[in-house]
Amino acid sequence: LFVPSRYVTNITEKSDNKTNVPVIFWLSGLTCDDTNFAQKAGARAFLAGEKEGVAIVMPDTSPRGDNSVPNVDSYDLGIGAGFYVNATKAPYSTHYHMYNYVTNELPNLLKEHFSIGKDNLRSITGHSMGGHGALTIAIKDPSNWVSVSAFSPICNPTNCPWGKKAFENYFGSVEIGKAHDATALLSERSTPIAEFDDILIDQGDADNFLTEKQLLPENLVEAAGRCGQKVTLRMQKGYDHSYFFIASFIEDHVSFHGKRLQKRSAQILASKAAANDFASTAGKPITCQAM
């Protein structure tokens, strides 16, 4: 968890009057844990977060740390590959509830203990499998997120090897996985998502997973076009799937979210101020409505 210096007392002090801190959720990709982003892209991301006044939270990619967590000898399934879904098929159904963790457990913890992301003052982004998670989580429940972006996301997992393998093992069916497929979710819509004026996606044109048809951003863009949803897909020349790519453009994404979070924060404050405005009734007699 990164918190801008102006909000450090939210972490260090106990108080009932903590400032509401806007937050960006970063979801990492296959084989990663909660440390990779901070180590490889954190310097630029945290500097941008300090400038924009937003916290950045970096959850793990799967359950781990206990011998009861099922795993297989494969980089794209099990530990490090939770795909941000709630598994319903054994043996994964007991522990692999990453969708609930990212959308419910972790936000509630941050709100309750640190006043981070209250009033749904949060945005979401991620890379590869994490980009898939960011897109699907935001599209499924846009009222809970201010904005969404992604780096090299798995855009249409029901039509790529990674996604098919994950959904067959976590759900027992690729068809069920359509509920966690950004392209499929947009394809079900006839109108754009009112909450998202734009969805920012960066994709390297030298990404080997792009040519292997694991990512399929063109399918997402096509689905977005049909429902009128604006998606800004930036093809970055010469960049691959690495964290160097993420570090090169992470400041743009923090700024993208920061501006929208600041706007929403101002709207929340204005709404609360209006609700507590008694100027129109000041000095006037109170009329009992119970008679």
Side-chain angles (χ1 to χ4, degrees):
L1 172 64
F2 163 80
V3 178
S5 58
R6 71 192 79 173
Y7 300 123
V8 69
T9 55
N10 281 50
I11 306 298
T12 61
E13 298 179 6
K14 291 184 178 180
S15 172
D16 294 328
N17 297 309
K18 294 180 179 179
T19 302
N20 187 11
V21 184
V23 61
I24 298 170
F25 278 59
W26 169 269
L27 306 185
S28 290
L30 292 167
T31 76
C32 293
D33 59 22
D34 56 315
T35 66
N36 296 80
F37 178 78
Q39 293 171 350
K40 298 178 180 180
R44 291 186 176 183
F46 301 158
L47 185 62
E50 181 70 26
K51 178 182 177 181
E52 296 290 341
V54 297
I56 303 174
V57 63
M58 299 148 280
D60 206 340
T61 55
S62 74
R64 71 177 79 224
D66 189 293
N67 290 333
S68 65
V69 176
N71 193 31
V72 293
D73 187 18
S74 176
Y75 79 96
D76 55 359
L77 186 69
I79 292 176
F83 265 82
Y84 303 100
V85 300
N86 294 333
T88 57
K89 181 183 177 183
Y92 301 101
S93 54
T94 301
H95 293 285
Y96 284 72
H97 300 157
M98 294 306 294
Y99 183 85
N100 274 352
Y101 180 65
V102 172
T103 63
N104 186 22
E105 294 178 31
L106 184 56
N108 287 339
L109 184 151
L110 293 170
K111 287 187 293 184
E112 179 180 352
H113 293 281
F114 308 119
S115 192
I116 292 175
K118 294 173 64 177
D119 300 313
N120 294 334
L121 195 59
R122 56 180 182 262
S123 296
I124 191 164
T125 185
H127 173 237
S128 192
M129 178 187 71
H132 141 77
L135 291 172
T136 55
I137 285 169
I139 292 171
K140 283 172 71 68
D141 195 3
S143 63
N144 277 329
W145 305 92
V146 172
S147 52
V148 57
S149 72
F151 288 84
S152 313
I154 304 171
C155 295
N156 193 188
T158 56
N159 281 318
C160 78
W162 279 339
K164 289 179 179 179
K165 181 176 181 177
F167 294 155
E168 286 170 354
N169 282 274
Y170 294 145
F171 297 137
S173 164
V174 175
E175 184 68 21
I176 295 174
K178 287 184 176 179
H180 294 273
D181 181 318
T183 297
L185 290 168
L186 284 182
S187 295
E188 294 174 353
R189 300 184 60 90
S190 59
T191 59
I193 302 170
E195 290 84 352
F196 303 144
D197 63 318
D198 193 6
I199 296 174
L200 174 62
I201 296 176
D202 273 310
Q203 173 65 61
D205 70 355
D207 188 330
N208 60 305
F209 298 119
L210 180 67
T211 57
E212 292 174 8
K213 301 297 183 181
Q214 292 280 19
L215 307 178
L216 303 171
E218 65 274 15
N219 293 2
L220 180 74
V221 170
E222 182 181 344
R226 288 196 298 268
C227 71
Q229 175 62 50
K230 182 180 179 182
V231 172
T232 299
L233 173 61
R234 307 193 307 184
M235 297 300 297
Q236 304 293 357
K237 186 174 178 59
Y239 284 91
D240 59 13
H241 204 70
S242 68
Y243 262 95
F244 175 74
F245 167 56
I246 299 169
S248 298
F249 299 101
I250 189 61
E251 291 158 301
D252 291 350
H253 286 247
V254 174
S255 177
F256 174 85
H257 296 299
K259 288 179 172 60
R260 288 161 175 78
L261 286 164
Q262 289 167 13
K263 180 179 179 180
R264 178 64 61 83
S265 180
Q267 291 170 342
I268 292 170
L269 291 173
S271 177
K272 289 183 176 180
N276 293 324
D277 183 6
F278 301 106
S280 61
T281 58
K284 296 182 180 180
I286 298 175
T287 300
C288 181
Q289 301 295 321
M291 299 178 65

